[in-house]
Structure formats: C-alpha cells, structure tokens
Amino acid sequence: MRKQRKWLIMAALLLVVSIFPHFGAAEGDNRVLAEQDAGHADAETSTDSEETAAAGSETEEQLAEESSQEEAPAADTTAAEGEETGEVKLYPVSAVKEIASNENLTMYIDEKTGNIRLVDNKTKKEWLGTPQLPRTTMPNNKKFMDSAAHIKYTEGVDTVQTYLSKEKENKLAIEAIDGGARVTFTYTKEKLEFAMEYRLLADGFEVTIPENSIKETGSARFISIEPLPFWNAAAKTDEGALFLPDGSGALMHYKETHPLYFAGYSEMIYGADPAYLSRTNENIIEEIWRQSPAPKERIALPVFGNYRNGIGSLGIVTKGQYDAKVNGTPSGIRAIDYYRTSTEFVYRWDDIIFIGTSGQIPFFQGEWIKGDRQLRYVLLQDEKADYVGMAQAYGAYLQDEQGVKPAAPSGSGTAVKVKLMGGILRDEVLGDTFISMTTFDEAREIIDAFEQKGIGNLELTFSGWSEDGLYGDQPDHFPVEKKLGGAKNLKELAAYAAGKGVKLYLEANYARAYSESDGMKKSKDAVRGMNREAVESPDYFIGSRWNDDSRMFYWMKPERVIAGHLNKELDDYKKLGISGVHFAYWGDTLYSDLDKKSLLSRDETATAWVRATDAVRETVGGATVDYGFGYMLGHVDSIAGAPLDSSHFIYNDETVPFYQIAVRGLVSYSAGALNLRDDSKNEMLRMVEYGALPSLELTYESTSKLQRTMEDRLWSSEYKLWIELAVQEYESLEPIYAAISGQAIRDHEKLEEEVYRTTYANGTKVIVNYGESAATIEGTTVPAAGYAMQNGGK
C-alpha cells in the first residue's frame, strides 16, 4: 500500500509539472571558464514530460535571484518585470558576460549555453542569439532555443538531432581569444566534440568552426552542425521578414496567423550535388528508375538573413559554403512561435545504394568533409534593415573582400544577347544525319538583319559548332564542324562580328558528356558516387519527371577534363579570334567526385573551374556562364539567364531582386530568351523591374527540322519569326536601358499591390505595373501591364 501511494505521489508531481511548465524552467548552473555539466535530461529519446521533470530542480525565485547577480545588466528589464503591467513575464537576457568590444559594438556571452548577444555602442540596439522567451515556454523548447548550436550525428543508420543541454553529462568550456571567445562543446555520451570561435568585427562578427576542433572518439559521427540557429529570431507579432536566397531572393513575412506548415525551407547552397542519387531525385523505385524533383530555383549566393523592428542581419557563408544548407523556419514548427533562419554545415552526406535484391540501403560518407566552416554576420539597423540593405551589404563584401571589380561601361547602347544553334545529329533507321540549323555564313546574315533593324550591339553565343554538333564528341570541341563552314568560316565570322562591334562566344561543355560521345571514356572520365559507379545524369520527361533512359549523360571529372581537353584547346580558341568561351553547367551545377582514386569535393570542383575560367580569359579574352553561382562572380564577363524568380514555396510571401541588387554594376546579366517565355508579358516586366538584358535563342532554319533530334526545348526559334518582335521590344526599352547602363541598384520597393519601383545609383527610377489597371505614382501614370521611367539618367 505504501509503495502504491509513493507511485501515486510521483505521478501527481509529474502531472503538475506538465500543466505548469514554468516550475521547471531554470537550467542547472554550468557557468564556465572551466568544464561544467551542460544539461539535465537523460537522452535524445526522452519524452517532453521526462525533460520537464529533469529540469525542475530550481524555482522561479531561484532563477530571479541568480539573474540579479549577473555581471552585466539584462537588456530588456522592462519586459522581464512585466508583472507590474500584467503582461506575460519574460526571462531576462542571459548573455551578459562581456567578451569583446570595439568602437561600434560590444559582444556578450551566456556562460551557460555559449550563446551571444551584440549591442551597438551608440544606438544601444541589440541582436540576440536567442530571443527573450515567455516564462510559460516549455522547458525542452527553451533549452532547444537557448542552444548556441544544434548538431546531427549518426551511428550508422539513423540521423539524430541533439544539443548540448539535452544531456546532463555534456560539457561546455569558454576561453578568451583575440577579439572574442572560443566555446568548446563536448557531447560526453556520444564522444563528439567541436568548438565555435566568435570574433567581433567593425560591422558585425564571425563564427568559425575550426577543422582541428572536430573530434569523434566513439562510434558516433557528425552529420551536420548548425551554429546560432535562433540568431535574431523574430516573434510572429514582429514587423519584418526572413530573407531566403531562393533564386533571385524570397521573403517570408512574419504573420500572427498562417496555414499549418510541417516543414520550412532547407536547401543546399549552389543546388543539390548530382553525385548523390537521393539528393537529385524525388522518387527512386529501382536504381535505373528515378523521378526528378518538381522544378525549383537554386541558391546562387551563400547568404541568408532576417530583419525585425528596425534591426537586421545578413549572414554570409565565407568558408564551407559548398557543403552547407540554408534553413528558414516559420513559426509553429515544433510548437515554437518564432521565425528563424540559419546555415547548417554538412560534414557527411548520405545516399542510398542498391545491393542485389535487398532494395534501398542508406549509406553515409565514411570520412567527413574537411576544412574550417565560417559565417560572417553583418549587422544592420534602421533604413538599412531590410532586403535592400542586406543585398547592398553583400555587394560591398564582394568588392571589398572578394575583389570583384565593377564592370566597365559598354558605351555602345543596350546589348542584346542572342544564342545561335549550329547543328545536331538526328537518329535515323540506319545511322544518323547531321542537321544544320545555322551555318557560320547564315550567322553573318543574322547579324546584318539585326543591324538593319537598328540593333547593332549584339552579344552572340554559338552552340553546336563543333564536329557532330550539339552532342558531338564533347568534351572534345575541335575540329569545327565542316558542314557549318569549318574553322576557316568560323574565323571569318569572328572577324566580321568584331568589325561590327559584335562579341562572339563559343559554347563549350566540359562538365556533362553524352554517353555516345567519342570524346569521353566513361571508365576514366566520369565522376563516381557512393556506390563507386559512374554517376549517370539522364534527361527527364517534362510531364512526368521520370527519367528518359534513352538519353544518358555522365558528369566528368573536373581536373581530368580540364587538363586533358580544355587546356589543349586554348590555342585553338585563340586562333579563331573569338571574344571568349561560354561554359555550360559551370555556373548552374556543382558536383563532387567520390572516386577513391580521385576524391574531389565541391569546393575543389569550383576552384578548378574558376582557375580554368581565369586561364581562358587570359588567353582567349572572355568567359560567360549560365545562372551565375556566386563562386563565378569576378571571373566572368556576363551571366546568361540569371535567376529572376523564386520557387514560390507555400511559406514564402514575396519574390525580391536580392541577387540583382547585389551584383548589378559588377557584372551584366540577361533574362531568359524572349522566344521561350512561358508568360510573355509578365516575364518582360520582370526583366525590366530587375534590370536584366534582353536575350533570344535563335536558329536560321525552321524549328521543324529539329524533329526526332535530342533538342526539344526550342519549340520556336527561326529568327525571321522573332526579329520584328525583338526590335519592337528593344525600341520601347532602349531609353530605360540607356539610362541605367552600368548602374547599381540603390533601392527597390513595393509601392502598391502589383506596382514596384527600382531606383538606380544615378537617380533613374523604373516603375513596373503588373496590374490590370493603370497606376499613378508621384504624377507619373504607369499603364496596366506596363512600365514607366522617372528622372531618366539624372
């Protein structure tokens, strides 16, 4: 009977703590500069009620007494003492130990969690590593949010997420370093350890995870580390938004009510790595049957950020961006009513492999991806605390830290980018036939036709010019296809174009070779995945997104293809007298190589491509890429098809031109082809709003000749059908483009529903109206589905 009564009392206590969670909200004292216990829960799989009971060793009164003895005053004492006003009481700010200070900022640290707070010395505005939480917050959520880092690890099968205060055996140690502090996190049970170093900067701070701090002494292995997951997190009642680098950029506005989301944004910087089957496919039935994900934009710049109530911060991933994700989480996930964004550094990727008839087997990388990881936070306030201020801050970073120089003004009017297709093979019942779509002589006719219509400033990119055309012997690009005119006529075309002031680039593919290409040896040239097999890259049917196994390509080893092919062809390019080379895939796809004999990380792939691009610019004259991933900025002359939209995920509210604000004036960029638009009017307006140059993809011959070939994108490309429309659009837009030529974007704003204004450095303002009725802005009438300019060039 006595034993039964004992269990009833214990059950009652657990019930009380569950109903009144603030009774167990205080954390154990693990203040350091020496190692102390880091938490009070027993294991990752503990239930919420178990965590609550374990954390309930101190009362509110004890916590209040402890906070009154801190070394520096809490920042928001009014909120913390809300009992006088009847408001919900908040926990006091816990990052109160000063660790660094300069003329502009002071950094404080929480000695229990390793989290930080920054304060502007003049305005007294502050940025918190974790928000001040109501005392009614569930203890397990408070510990989750107070944590300075979240980690994921595996012991071979499952991925487990945890944080330091989750288990009482964990340790935390803080030591002073120059300009900040080094915090070491030790997960005792898992035998994992790493350190984060904070360093104060003039406009913010850096967080570094040194390579030599990663320690794995047990069976557990790091999957990822997410530093400062709740940095500057916003309540749903705050004013502002999360900025996510989705395509051109997207905003997730803070809202008190919204649909129930089961997950937030979590995408890889520079897109998924095609070396991993499960990263680039949505459904995988068997090894040979796979479905691509629904179309979405990629992250082109290693940035993220947020702003709330007049303060904001831009996060820049400066080291480790090639294997990192950007996370953006709306309120409500895990019953946490805060919006937050961060970077998650990946140390091991996983994939699925097929062994015999056993089906899919999960598999993790054995060795972790080496290198330091580093984040830079730029702090913003007042009128700079929005996506425009963030983009301008990143543009300044590109110039000041990355050495990207402003592009020289062209001085010859608006450039129209035209991509011409030379030729392609068509399969026949027996053998194949070369289909000529645009010869080199016909390209001269197209240049003359545009000139006669008043468009002399062309930038031509010629694809399918090498032997056997578009999918010929790549990565070999020479000799030049004779049926198009051969090397002699191509050289004459280059000279003719130069005499007309037209730039001529040749498209080259040193990344993704067709399986039937004679220029590639699959066994030696193709990168390999975790199963040690050559990584296949099929085309996919547009309607179903299932792979078309009749069209198979392979990703090529960067170092091998550069040394064995590109470097040997540099003199051939130079002899032709062309303006430069357009590199397919180098600006919109990034992959690794898991071949044991030639391991290559995405970082090393990007580095190899950048070196090769610089060599081409030095030898040939210029280089261009598609889409424009951040690692190519400063190494190319222009970007074709730059991201002008976001993926429109359900939790995002608005697409913004972050990419354009950051790079305009540093490199020119064009919109998608006029003749391939899905929505001709809106895409034209977006091009004008974002300051992108117009472009076309054309052929001399009728598109019908492409039937039964592998080129099925060009549904309408005959230049005679499009030149008049191109000229009309050019003539209407030329005054705007002349006024904004080479100008950086100074501001971008939403004036009304569906009405936007872009302001340039020289004062030119371009207003775009997507609506169905005219709008009047400061005396200027903007027609429906139209645009207008103010202060042109003034």
Side-chain angles (χ1 to χ4, degrees):
M1 188 69 179
R2 185 177 300 169
K3 193 172 186 179
Q4 185 178 13
R5 186 180 304 160
K6 177 182 176 182
W7 282 109
L8 286 172
I9 292 172
M10 290 178 65
L13 285 172
L14 283 173
L15 180 62
V16 169
V17 173
S18 300
I19 296 173
F20 301 102
H22 57 274
F23 284 171
E27 303 292 340
D29 188 357
N30 61 340
R31 82 179 53 243
V32 290
L33 288 183
E35 291 187 347
Q36 297 290 336
D37 287 349
H40 293 278
D42 292 331
E44 161 64 25
T45 56
S46 298
T47 64
D48 288 352
S49 61
E50 288 171 334
E51 288 177 332
T52 304
S57 58
E58 295 181 351
T59 64
E60 276 190 13
E61 289 75 14
Q62 287 174 307
L63 181 62
E65 181 180 350
E66 179 185 272
S67 64
S68 68
Q69 297 172 355
E70 298 287 2
E71 299 179 41
D76 191 355
T77 55
T78 303
E81 295 169 359
E83 55 187 300
E84 296 182 4
T85 63
E87 298 176 357
V88 176
K89 291 175 60 179
L90 302 179
Y91 286 102
V93 171
S94 55
V96 293
K97 172 69 175 178
E98 183 178 328
I99 56 172
S101 184
N102 58 29
E103 182 180 355
N104 301 319
L105 300 164
T106 300
M107 180 186 290
Y108 301 90
I109 197 166
D110 182 342
E111 293 181 290
K112 301 175 186 177
T113 65
N115 221 319
I116 59 170
R117 169 172 64 104
L118 268 76
V119 178
D120 186 292
N121 296 335
K122 297 176 182 177
T123 66
K124 301 306 177 183
K125 291 185 177 181
E126 63 179 13
W127 293 258
L128 302 176
T130 184
Q132 278 187 277
L133 300 173
R135 289 192 182 264
T136 54
T137 302
M138 290 290 291
N140 61 312
N141 275 349
K142 185 178 188 305
K143 288 192 290 184
F144 182 79
M145 298 175 70
D146 284 346
S147 298
H150 294 162
I151 73 164
K152 292 177 183 175
Y153 70 89
T154 186
E155 293 185 279
V157 180
D158 297 325
T159 298
V160 179
Q161 183 183 41
T162 189
Y163 45 94
L164 199 74
S165 59
K166 187 84 171 169
E167 300 160 359
K168 64 181 180 181
E169 299 90 352
N170 293 340
K171 306 290 183 181
L172 177 143
I174 304 174
E175 58 182 305
I177 60 174
D178 186 28
R182 176 184 173 108
V183 184
T184 301
F185 303 84
T186 303
Y187 295 80
T188 306
K189 187 180 73 173
E190 294 84 4
K191 296 183 179 179
L192 297 173
E193 182 176 298
F194 72 96
M196 285 173 26
E197 295 179 351
Y198 301 113
R199 285 184 174 84
L200 193 62
L201 304 175
D203 58 355
F205 68 101
E206 277 183 346
V207 184
T208 305
I209 304 175
E211 176 183 346
N212 60 14
S213 74
I214 302 294
K215 296 179 181 179
E216 302 170 327
T217 57
S219 61
R221 296 290 183 265
F222 279 108
I223 297 297
S224 68
I225 300 176
E226 185 180 10
L228 301 178
F230 282 86
W231 172 257
N232 201 39
K236 58 186 180 181
T237 55
D238 286 343
E239 292 289 331
L242 300 184
F243 159 69
L244 301 172
D246 178 39
S248 64
L251 299 181
M252 186 189 301
H253 294 299
Y254 309 142
K255 298 183 290 291
E256 288 195 62
T257 59
H258 58 66
L260 177 63
Y261 304 128
F262 293 99
Y265 182 86
S266 184
E267 296 290 332
M268 279 186 64
I269 296 173
Y270 304 137
D273 186 340
Y276 297 90
L277 186 64
S278 61
R279 300 290 161 190
T280 50
N281 294 273
E282 188 171 90
N283 294 309
I284 306 169
I285 296 179
E286 297 177 7
E287 192 169 11
I288 61 172
W289 294 112
R290 60 191 77 169
Q291 187 180 43
S292 68
K296 60 183 176 182
E297 298 292 330
R298 286 146 288 175
I299 294 180
L301 301 176
V303 294
F304 61 96
N306 64 349
Y307 53 96
R308 60 179 186 87
N309 304 338
I311 62 169
S313 69
L314 170 70
I316 306 173
V317 188
T318 54
K319 292 181 181 179
Q321 66 265 37
Y322 302 99
D323 290 281
K325 298 178 181 179
V326 170
N327 296 330
T329 308
S331 66
I333 304 294
R334 195 189 156 106
I336 295 174
D337 285 335
Y338 286 85
Y339 289 82
R340 66 268 194 195
T341 183
S342 60
T343 281
E344 182 180 349
F345 291 111
V346 176
Y347 286 80
R348 282 182 176 84
W349 291 107
D350 65 281
D351 205 359
I352 59 171
I353 61 174
F354 293 82
I355 300 177
T357 59
S358 57
Q360 300 179 11
I361 298 176
F363 201 68
F364 291 89
Q365 282 181 282
E367 293 294 322
W368 61 276
I369 302 167
K370 299 299 189 288
D372 291 350
R373 272 53 168 185
Q374 190 174 80
L375 279 168
R376 172 178 296 195
Y377 284 93
V378 179
L379 305 186
L380 307 164
Q381 51 188 311
D382 301 327
E383 70 277 359
K384 292 293 184 181
D386 60 10
Y387 66 90
V388 175
M390 291 180 192
Q392 291 172 340
Y394 186 66
Y397 168 81
L398 289 174
Q399 295 181 70
D400 300 339
E401 304 290 335
Q402 300 297 301
V404 180
K405 301 184 183 301
S410 63
S412 55
T414 303
V416 177
K417 296 179 180 290
V418 177
K419 185 174 183 179
L420 298 176
M421 181 184 171
I424 191 171
L425 291 178
R426 183 176 68 198
D427 287 334
E428 308 292 358
V429 176
L430 293 175
D432 49 47
T433 301
F434 182 83
I435 304 300
S436 174
M437 297 300 296
T438 310
T439 67
F440 303 135
D441 287 340
E442 290 168 346
R444 293 171 62 166
E445 289 186 38
I446 293 175
I447 292 174
D448 292 341
F450 273 96
E451 184 180 42
Q452 291 169 8
K453 298 289 186 180
I455 303 177
N457 187 15
L458 293 177
E459 183 176 302
L460 293 183
T461 299
F462 213 111
S463 68
W465 55 272
S466 56
E467 188 173 46
D468 288 339
L470 193 60
Y471 301 106
D473 290 337
Q474 296 168 352
D476 287 332
H477 293 81
F478 290 89
V480 178
E481 174 57 53
K482 293 181 180 180
K483 293 179 180 178
L484 298 179
K488 180 177 179 296
N489 277 19
L490 179 54
K491 188 174 182 178
E492 291 175 354
L493 172 62
Y496 185 80
K500 296 281 188 177
V502 174
K503 293 181 179 180
L504 175 63
Y505 290 82
L506 297 181
E507 182 177 83
N509 175 11
Y510 296 101
R512 185 175 181 257
Y514 183 46
S515 58
E516 301 299 320
S517 170
D518 293 332
M520 181 202 70
K521 293 182 179 180
K522 170 184 167 182
S523 60
K524 295 182 179 180
D525 293 330
V527 304
R528 297 186 178 270
M530 293 187 73
N531 60 359
R532 308 308 179 197
E533 299 291 332
V535 175
E536 297 179 338
S537 175
D539 279 348
Y540 295 87
F541 292 109
I542 296 175
S544 66
R545 307 201 315 273
W546 286 103
N547 59 303
D548 179 357
D549 59 352
S550 68
R551 298 186 182 183
M552 190 60 68
F553 297 78
Y554 292 93
W555 297 104
M556 292 179 281
K557 296 178 182 292
E559 295 286 4
R560 182 176 173 82
V561 78
I562 290 171
H565 300 272
L566 173 57
N567 290 344
K568 294 179 180 179
E569 294 179 341
L570 286 177
D571 287 340
D572 293 317
Y573 286 123
K574 185 177 180 180
K575 290 176 184 177
L576 291 173
I578 59 175
S579 300
V581 179
H582 177 85
F583 291 104
Y585 301 107
W586 282 16
D588 61 11
T589 306
L590 186 61
Y591 54 85
S592 56
D593 185 5
L594 304 181
D595 189 341
K596 285 185 176 181
K597 298 178 182 178
S598 56
L599 282 171
L600 204 69
S601 66
R602 299 217 308 171
D603 186 346
E604 292 167 323
T605 297
T607 300
W609 286 348
V610 166
R611 284 200 309 262
T613 303
D614 289 342
V616 167
R617 295 181 81 192
E618 183 178 346
T619 304
V620 182
T624 62
V625 294
D626 298 307
Y627 208 76
F629 281 173
Y631 55 80
M632 279 296 181
L633 296 177
H635 304 279
V636 294
D637 302 291
S638 65
I639 296 167
L644 299 186
D645 204 352
S646 67
S647 302
H648 297 276
F649 292 118
I650 190 171
Y651 38 71
N652 288 340
D653 302 291
E654 187 176 353
T655 300
V656 295
F658 182 100
Y659 186 96
Q660 287 69 28
I661 297 171
V663 308
R664 201 173 203 287
L666 303 180
V667 61
S668 66
Y669 51 89
S670 66
L674 178 155
N675 56 301
L676 299 180
R677 290 171 181 166
D678 295 321
D679 184 330
S680 60
K681 198 65 177 180
N682 278 346
E683 289 185 41
M684 184 272 290
L685 293 176
R686 178 63 60 86
M687 178 184 75
V688 175
E689 180 190 355
Y690 285 19
L693 296 174
S695 76
L696 300 101
E697 284 194 44
L698 302 176
T699 57
Y700 186 87
E701 298 288 348
S702 169
T703 317
S704 62
K705 293 184 67 174
L706 291 172
Q707 293 182 70
R708 305 200 319 274
T709 73
M710 290 177 61
E711 179 53 78
D712 50 16
R713 294 182 316 106
L714 295 177
W715 50 271
S716 179
S717 61
E718 186 179 352
Y719 91 95
K720 292 177 182 178
L721 301 178
W722 289 98
I723 190 168
E724 291 296 337
L725 182 60
V727 169
Q728 292 174 19
E729 189 169 291
Y730 174 86
E731 290 177 347
S732 65
L733 294 175
E734 173 58 18
I736 292 177
Y737 281 97
I740 65 176
S741 176
Q743 295 293 310
I745 296 176
R746 191 175 68 193
D747 197 12
H748 179 266
E749 52 196 327
K750 183 177 182 178
L751 303 177
E752 297 177 5
E753 193 65 32
E754 299 187 308
V755 180
Y756 297 85
R757 178 167 62 192
T758 306
T759 303
Y760 292 84
N762 63 358
T764 301
K765 299 180 180 181
V766 178
I767 306 172
V768 171
N769 178 11
Y770 294 89
E772 297 179 355
S773 58
T776 301
I777 306 298
E778 297 174 358
T780 300
T781 299
V782 187
Y787 49 85
M789 179 172 63
Q790 297 175 324
N791 303 329
K794 299 178 183 179

